[in-house]
Amino acid sequence: MRMPVFATGFTMGLSLIVAIGAQNAFVLRQGLRNEHVLAVCLACALSDALLILIGVTAFGRIAAVLPWLDPAMRYGGAAFLIWYGIRSARSAISGTGALSVDGGQAASLRTTLLTCLALTWLNPHVYLDTVVLLGTLSTRFPGAETVFAAGAMCASLVFFFALGFGAKRLRPIFARPTAWRILEGLIALVMVLIALQLLRGG
């Protein structure tokens, strides 16, 4: 029972985290520039772990007091994910952007961490992903919520460190707009699949 739950948490966590956003683009950029990569990856992974823990431990209790909250969050989250998937699909079809990392003076560790934390904690989407969506999904596994959370936390840790330290290998790929378009298309598919799972009630 525990391994399937852990695997589900890992898969769901990874599916949500991999979506391109300001935080991931920042981690990728720092990795490509080889600037404070360890600190940035740790800051992102620990922030996600804290938010996931809050979602898994608190969301179920709140939902028990407010029984309407779970379906409201499920349908609201599904609507957001479908909207996000459509946006990613449009970007995949018509996007022309490419990653730009050259130029500029290296920032200090303090400035880099403050920027990283701002991109994480001031982004409302991170609360939907970690606290609401993962918190809601964890309620499907009564008594094994912490196992689900551990899987999601591991997904965050693996993703950010792979993105940050593997970024140099991606430089030639993400210098081309086509790579971003393909990735956006995959993101669109994943978001819609998760939305459908939420609409089915898990």
Side-chain angles (χ1 to χ4, degrees):
M1 172 69 178
R2 292 188 177 274
M3 278 307 297
V5 173
F6 181 91
T8 301
F10 187 93
T11 302
M12 291 302 177
L14 188 62
S15 297
L16 290 170
I17 294 164
V18 76
I20 290 298
Q23 182 193 48
N24 292 350
F26 181 77
V27 174
L28 183 59
R29 180 179 179 275
Q30 291 301 118
L32 289 166
R33 292 171 66 97
N34 197 28
E35 294 177 5
H36 313 302
V37 181
L38 177 61
V40 167
C41 292
L42 278 175
C44 291
L46 291 176
S47 294
D48 270 12
L50 179 58
L51 288 166
I52 291 168
L53 183 63
I54 291 171
V56 170
T57 57
F59 188 82
R61 296 177 184 176
I62 296 172
V65 177
L66 305 172
W68 54 265
L69 185 63
D70 179 61
M73 288 299 185
R74 278 197 294 112
Y75 291 121
F80 170 79
L81 290 173
I82 290 172
W83 170 82
Y84 197 97
I86 292 172
R87 192 182 73 166
S88 294
R90 287 178 177 172
S91 179
I93 294 170
S94 60
T96 57
L99 184 66
S100 176
V101 297
D102 296 324
Q105 188 176 2
S108 67
L109 175 60
R110 180 177 180 274
T111 300
T112 299
L113 283 178
L114 287 175
T115 301
C116 178
L117 292 174
L119 289 171
T120 301
W121 291 89
L122 298 181
N123 178 10
H125 294 167
V126 74
Y127 298 99
L128 177 62
D129 291 345
T130 56
V131 177
V132 177
L133 291 179
L134 290 176
T136 301
L137 290 169
S138 71
T139 61
R140 295 169 49 203
F141 308 103
E145 294 91 345
T146 54
V147 179
F148 179 89
M153 291 176 187
C154 285
S156 177
L157 186 70
V158 169
F159 173 76
F160 284 121
F161 275 82
L163 183 64
F165 287 97
K168 283 189 176 181
R169 297 174 180 262
L170 302 176
R171 181 188 287 268
I173 298 174
F174 284 97
R176 298 177 294 177
T178 303
W180 287 109
R181 294 176 66 181
I182 293 173
L183 186 58
E184 290 284 11
L186 293 174
I187 290 169
L189 178 62
V190 168
M191 294 298 102
V192 171
L193 289 176
I194 295 175
L196 292 175
Q197 183 176 32
L198 285 176
L199 290 173
R200 288 198 306 265

